[in-house]
Amino acid sequence: MSNPVLVPVLGDQLTRTLSSLRGCAKEDTVILMMEVWDEATYVKHHKQKIVLIFSAMRHFAAELRDAGWRVDYVKLTDEDNSGSFTGEVARAIERHTPRKLRVTEAGEWRVQQQIEEWPDKFACEVELLPDDRFLCSHAEFRDWADGRKHLTMEHFYREMRRKTGLLMRDDGKPVGGEWNYDAENRQSPDSGINPPPAPKFEPDDITGEVITLVKDHFGDHFGDLEPFGWPVTSDQAQEAADAFFAQRLGKFGPYQDAMVHGSDDLYHSMLSTSINLGLIDPLELCRRAEQAYSDGKAPLNSVEGFIRQIIGWREYVRGFYWLKMPGLADDNALNAARPLPEFFWTGKTDMRCLADCVRTTREDAHAHHIQRLMVLGNFCLIAGIDPKAVQDWYLAVYADAFEWVELPNVAAMVLYADGGNLATKPYAASGNYINKMSDYCKKCSYKVAQKTGDGACPFNPLYWHFMDANRERLESNHRIGRIYATWDRMGEAKQREYLDSAEKFLDSLTPASEGWARTVN
């Protein structure tokens, strides 16, 4: 094959219909796939996250070869591996002398900056194509955001409903008469909750090789390596989706915000890793959910909630990320500067909610969205933890975390570090919220009903400490401004009790050791 088209495929582009592959002739194309040290180590990713991505890449390469494609696959330990995407593309150009590079845009800002340098670095033509696996292009999101004072996700979500026709009537109104059924999806866990386990997949030889690779080269990274059970092929992802629609979608809605000690998956789909890698089509999943409602197999509140997470929130945060980068990564509107506590890595804390969330993160590289937002994230917010340290932690520890989805969620949603461009208020809460939505507080060493002093749930004084420290910025917020009237009615003595309790707790925190999360500054 002389002067072929060279198509680099990145680790989160494992889709047979990828824009850079469509229209290519198998006999005139070389697909380049690369395991590179820069991507494996720029943060010290959870061991299972590295296994997931490399195993999924190797399986995808095997599927492409079986389908008749020529794949040039660079393994991490290949002797001449340059360690970077640009370096490996340069070496592949030397091997294949292509007439053209054809590449789908990257999901992450820093990788895209590398790709945009390729036309100046390489002699061959570089064709850059949009990633049309998403519903909303960068240009469409910019047009939607232009001139808006508030980038309200709900308004964007309605546009995506109209665009796709999902849960829409012929007259242009939403099925059921409402756009959003979130009010029905806040049920506390009860004694009758008994979710079936999500499927786990036994590692095959390919995955076993990658597990050994990670054991040998990434032993100092966070997280348990085994047992590993994530889907690593499109067939496995479809099997996981089948199980969700058959067994868990019906109760996903009511219990999507619930938290139960030791019950890590609950009724969640557990499909975010497969979606973000490209193993399964998110719009197809939404169509299946819609069909389940039409067939009477799932209630509207569950189906709408599932669809909203995908065509609403997922598409929205991706658009927001590209609209606000690169500044979003450095935002710190609340001037938070406290180091990340050591227990985020060790799980050694008497706060039962935080210990359980770190445990499932360590064991599975996963915690569901309310654990991430209202336990782990809420703590970081009201304790004033440095946004960069929190961002690195979330990016490192979760298997589904790519920067385009992690950074807006953490910087803007969890930490309010962007000053309210994404979230209309900080998601700060006392222990009462956690008690309502979980069973964590029942056996905790701390007493959730106690507000201050020794033995009080730390979330209680930390909440008021946060509100007091940020009064100048937050008091004018119409969604939380009234809280300050409650604070003022307490009187100076009670306020001092809260502040002293919070400061005593914060002083007791042990900062995390250097080098846990990031290896490249």
Side-chain angles (χ1 to χ4, degrees), residues 7 14 23 38 57 74 134 144 194 218 234 241-242 251 259 261 276 338 355 398 443 468 498:
V7 181
L14 310 182
D38 283 359
M57 288 173 63
V74 180
F134 291 88
W144 174 81
N194 186 30
F218 304 100
S234 57
D242 291 346
K251 291 187 177 180
M259 298 173 284
H261 183 270
N276 289 352
R338 195 175 307 280
Y398 290 118
K443 297 181 180 180
D468 180 69
Y498 274 111

Side-chain angles (χ1 to χ4, degrees), residues 194-202 228-231 236-237 239-249 262-274 364 366:
N194 186 30
K200 306 295 182 185
F201 299 90
E202 188 71 22
F228 179 88
W230 289 103
Q236 290 179 347
E239 184 178 337
D242 291 346
F244 170 66
F245 288 117
Q247 301 171 3
R248 302 196 304 284
L249 175 61
S263 185
D264 301 335
D265 303 345
L266 289 177
Y267 296 99
H268 293 273
S269 75
M270 306 300 291
L271 295 173
S272 57
T273 57
S274 297
D364 302 321
H366 180 267

Side-chain angles (χ1 to χ4, degrees), residues 82 124 127 145 158 165 175 192 215 225 251 256 283 285-286 298 395 469 476 501 514:
S82 66
C124 61
E127 182 182 8
R158 295 181 185 186
V175 169
K215 190 178 299 182
L225 179 56
K251 291 187 177 180
Q256 68 174 304
L283 184 57
L285 294 174
C286 291
L395 184 59
S476 61
S501 292
E514 292 292 329

Side-chain angles (χ1 to χ4, degrees), residues 372-420:
R372 299 190 204 190
L373 174 64
M374 296 307 300
V375 178
L376 297 160
N378 180 26
F379 179 88
C380 291
L381 172 68
I382 61 180
I385 308 300
D386 173 39
K388 281 193 173 295
V390 182
Q391 291 159 20
D392 281 352
W393 186 82
Y394 275 82
L395 184 59
V397 302
Y398 290 118
D400 56 3
F402 292 89
E403 191 185 69
W404 67 265
V405 65
E406 172 273 328
L407 185 57
N409 271 293
V410 174
M413 182 72 171
V414 168
L415 300 178
Y416 204 70
D418 72 332

